[in-house]
Short mmCIF file of all heavy atoms in Angstrom, two decimals:
data_model
loop_
_atom_site.label_atom_id
_atom_site.label_comp_id
_atom_site.label_asym_id
_atom_site.label_seq_id
_atom_site.Cartn_x
_atom_site.Cartn_y
_atom_site.Cartn_z
N ASP A 1174 51.75 172.19 76.40
CA ASP A 1174 51.05 171.76 77.62
C ASP A 1174 50.25 170.48 77.43
O ASP A 1174 50.17 169.64 78.33
CB ASP A 1174 50.11 172.87 78.11
CG ASP A 1174 50.86 174.02 78.78
OD1 ASP A 1174 52.07 173.87 79.01
OD2 ASP A 1174 50.22 175.06 79.05
N ALA A 1175 49.63 170.33 76.26
CA ALA A 1175 48.79 169.15 76.03
C ALA A 1175 49.61 167.88 75.85
O ALA A 1175 49.06 166.78 75.90
CB ALA A 1175 47.91 169.38 74.80
N PHE A 1176 50.92 168.03 75.65
CA PHE A 1176 51.77 166.87 75.35
C PHE A 1176 52.85 166.63 76.40
O PHE A 1176 53.19 165.50 76.69
CB PHE A 1176 52.45 167.07 73.99
CG PHE A 1176 51.50 167.52 72.91
CD1 PHE A 1176 51.54 168.82 72.41
CD2 PHE A 1176 50.56 166.65 72.39
CE1 PHE A 1176 50.68 169.23 71.43
CE2 PHE A 1176 49.68 167.05 71.40
CZ PHE A 1176 49.74 168.36 70.91
N ARG A 1177 53.38 167.70 76.97
CA ARG A 1177 54.54 167.59 77.85
C ARG A 1177 54.17 166.98 79.19
O ARG A 1177 53.27 167.42 79.88
CB ARG A 1177 55.13 168.99 78.08
CG ARG A 1177 56.34 169.03 79.00
CD ARG A 1177 56.66 170.46 79.41
NE ARG A 1177 55.57 171.06 80.17
CZ ARG A 1177 54.74 171.99 79.68
NH1 ARG A 1177 54.84 172.43 78.45
NH2 ARG A 1177 53.77 172.48 80.46
N ASP A 1178 54.89 165.93 79.56
CA ASP A 1178 54.78 165.35 80.89
C ASP A 1178 56.13 165.55 81.58
O ASP A 1178 56.83 166.51 81.28
CB ASP A 1178 54.39 163.87 80.79
CG ASP A 1178 53.65 163.37 82.03
OD1 ASP A 1178 53.90 163.93 83.12
OD2 ASP A 1178 52.86 162.42 81.92
N SER A 1179 56.54 164.67 82.43
CA SER A 1179 57.76 164.87 83.21
C SER A 1179 59.02 164.76 82.35
O SER A 1179 59.02 164.11 81.30
CB SER A 1179 57.83 163.85 84.35
OG SER A 1179 57.82 162.53 83.84
N GLU A 1180 60.07 165.41 82.79
CA GLU A 1180 61.34 165.42 82.09
C GLU A 1180 62.13 164.15 82.43
O GLU A 1180 62.39 163.86 83.59
CB GLU A 1180 62.13 166.67 82.51
CG GLU A 1180 63.46 166.83 81.82
CD GLU A 1180 64.19 168.10 82.28
OE1 GLU A 1180 63.57 169.19 82.29
OE2 GLU A 1180 65.38 167.98 82.65
N ILE A 1181 62.51 163.42 81.40
CA ILE A 1181 63.29 162.19 81.58
C ILE A 1181 64.78 162.52 81.67
O ILE A 1181 65.49 162.08 82.57
CB ILE A 1181 63.04 161.21 80.43
CG1 ILE A 1181 61.55 160.90 80.28
CG2 ILE A 1181 63.84 159.92 80.63
CD1 ILE A 1181 61.22 160.15 79.00
N GLN A 1182 65.25 163.29 80.72
CA GLN A 1182 66.67 163.62 80.62
C GLN A 1182 66.81 165.07 80.19
O GLN A 1182 66.10 165.48 79.26
CB GLN A 1182 67.36 162.71 79.59
CG GLN A 1182 68.85 162.98 79.42
CD GLN A 1182 69.54 162.01 78.48
OE1 GLN A 1182 69.74 160.86 78.78
NE2 GLN A 1182 69.90 162.52 77.30
N PRO A 1183 67.61 165.89 80.89
CA PRO A 1183 68.56 165.57 81.96
C PRO A 1183 67.91 165.17 83.29
O PRO A 1183 68.54 164.54 84.13
CB PRO A 1183 69.35 166.86 82.13
CG PRO A 1183 69.07 167.69 80.93
CD PRO A 1183 67.72 167.28 80.45
N GLY A 1184 66.66 165.57 83.49
CA GLY A 1184 66.01 165.37 84.77
C GLY A 1184 65.88 166.70 85.49
O GLY A 1184 66.79 167.53 85.47
N GLU A 1185 64.74 166.90 86.12
CA GLU A 1185 64.45 168.21 86.72
C GLU A 1185 65.41 168.60 87.84
O GLU A 1185 65.53 169.77 88.19
CB GLU A 1185 63.00 168.22 87.23
CG GLU A 1185 61.98 168.09 86.09
CD GLU A 1185 60.57 167.85 86.58
OE1 GLU A 1185 60.38 167.80 87.81
OE2 GLU A 1185 59.67 167.70 85.74
N SER A 1186 66.12 167.63 88.40
CA SER A 1186 67.06 167.94 89.48
C SER A 1186 68.36 168.56 88.98
O SER A 1186 69.14 169.10 89.77
CB SER A 1186 67.38 166.66 90.27
OG SER A 1186 68.04 165.72 89.43
N VAL A 1187 68.60 168.49 87.67
CA VAL A 1187 69.83 169.05 87.09
C VAL A 1187 69.60 170.54 86.84
O VAL A 1187 68.94 170.92 85.88
CB VAL A 1187 70.20 168.32 85.79
CG1 VAL A 1187 71.45 168.94 85.15
CG2 VAL A 1187 70.43 166.85 86.06
N GLN A 1188 70.15 171.38 87.72
CA GLN A 1188 69.86 172.81 87.66
C GLN A 1188 71.11 173.69 87.70
O GLN A 1188 71.22 174.65 86.94
CB GLN A 1188 68.94 173.20 88.83
CG GLN A 1188 67.56 172.55 88.78
CD GLN A 1188 66.69 173.09 87.67
OE1 GLN A 1188 66.90 174.20 87.17
NE2 GLN A 1188 65.69 172.31 87.25
N SER A 1189 72.04 173.41 88.57
CA SER A 1189 73.20 174.29 88.75
C SER A 1189 74.18 174.13 87.59
O SER A 1189 74.11 173.17 86.81
CB SER A 1189 73.92 173.96 90.05
OG SER A 1189 74.55 172.68 89.97
N ASP A 1190 75.11 175.10 87.47
CA ASP A 1190 76.14 175.00 86.44
C ASP A 1190 76.90 173.69 86.56
O ASP A 1190 77.15 173.01 85.55
CB ASP A 1190 77.13 176.17 86.56
CG ASP A 1190 76.55 177.49 86.07
OD1 ASP A 1190 75.43 177.48 85.51
OD2 ASP A 1190 77.22 178.52 86.25
N GLU A 1191 77.26 173.33 87.77
CA GLU A 1191 78.04 172.11 87.98
C GLU A 1191 77.25 170.86 87.59
O GLU A 1191 77.79 169.92 86.97
CB GLU A 1191 78.47 172.02 89.44
CG GLU A 1191 79.46 173.09 89.90
CD GLU A 1191 78.81 174.46 90.11
OE1 GLU A 1191 77.56 174.51 90.22
OE2 GLU A 1191 79.55 175.46 90.14
N GLU A 1192 75.97 170.84 87.92
CA GLU A 1192 75.12 169.69 87.56
C GLU A 1192 74.93 169.60 86.06
O GLU A 1192 74.96 168.50 85.48
CB GLU A 1192 73.77 169.80 88.27
CG GLU A 1192 73.85 169.59 89.78
CD GLU A 1192 72.59 170.02 90.50
OE1 GLU A 1192 71.80 170.80 89.93
OE2 GLU A 1192 72.42 169.59 91.66
N ILE A 1193 74.74 170.75 85.41
CA ILE A 1193 74.58 170.76 83.96
C ILE A 1193 75.88 170.32 83.29
O ILE A 1193 75.86 169.51 82.35
CB ILE A 1193 74.15 172.15 83.47
CG1 ILE A 1193 72.72 172.45 83.94
CG2 ILE A 1193 74.24 172.24 81.94
CD1 ILE A 1193 72.27 173.86 83.65
N ASP A 1194 77.01 170.83 83.76
CA ASP A 1194 78.30 170.45 83.16
C ASP A 1194 78.53 168.95 83.25
O ASP A 1194 78.97 168.32 82.29
CB ASP A 1194 79.45 171.19 83.87
CG ASP A 1194 79.42 172.69 83.64
OD1 ASP A 1194 78.67 173.14 82.75
OD2 ASP A 1194 80.15 173.40 84.36
N ALA A 1195 78.21 168.37 84.41
CA ALA A 1195 78.40 166.92 84.59
C ALA A 1195 77.47 166.14 83.67
O ALA A 1195 77.88 165.14 83.06
CB ALA A 1195 78.15 166.55 86.04
N PHE A 1196 76.22 166.60 83.56
CA PHE A 1196 75.27 165.92 82.65
C PHE A 1196 75.76 165.98 81.22
O PHE A 1196 75.78 164.97 80.49
CB PHE A 1196 73.88 166.54 82.75
CG PHE A 1196 73.02 166.21 81.56
CD1 PHE A 1196 72.48 164.95 81.41
CD2 PHE A 1196 72.80 167.16 80.57
CE1 PHE A 1196 71.72 164.63 80.29
CE2 PHE A 1196 72.04 166.85 79.44
CZ PHE A 1196 71.49 165.58 79.31
N VAL A 1197 76.17 167.18 80.76
CA VAL A 1197 76.59 167.35 79.38
C VAL A 1197 77.78 166.46 79.06
O VAL A 1197 77.80 165.76 78.03
CB VAL A 1197 76.92 168.84 79.10
CG1 VAL A 1197 77.63 168.99 77.75
CG2 VAL A 1197 75.65 169.68 79.12
N ARG A 1198 78.76 166.44 79.92
CA ARG A 1198 79.95 165.61 79.66
C ARG A 1198 79.61 164.13 79.60
O ARG A 1198 80.25 163.36 78.87
CB ARG A 1198 81.02 165.87 80.73
CG ARG A 1198 81.71 167.21 80.56
CD ARG A 1198 82.95 167.36 81.43
NE ARG A 1198 83.61 168.64 81.18
CZ ARG A 1198 84.47 168.86 80.19
NH1 ARG A 1198 84.78 167.87 79.36
NH2 ARG A 1198 85.03 170.04 80.04
#
């Protein structure tokens, strides 16, 4: 908590299986 700020990558919008699969590839 004292260190973590916003997520750069993958990005908080990457949530569904399809979004994760596309990010990973």
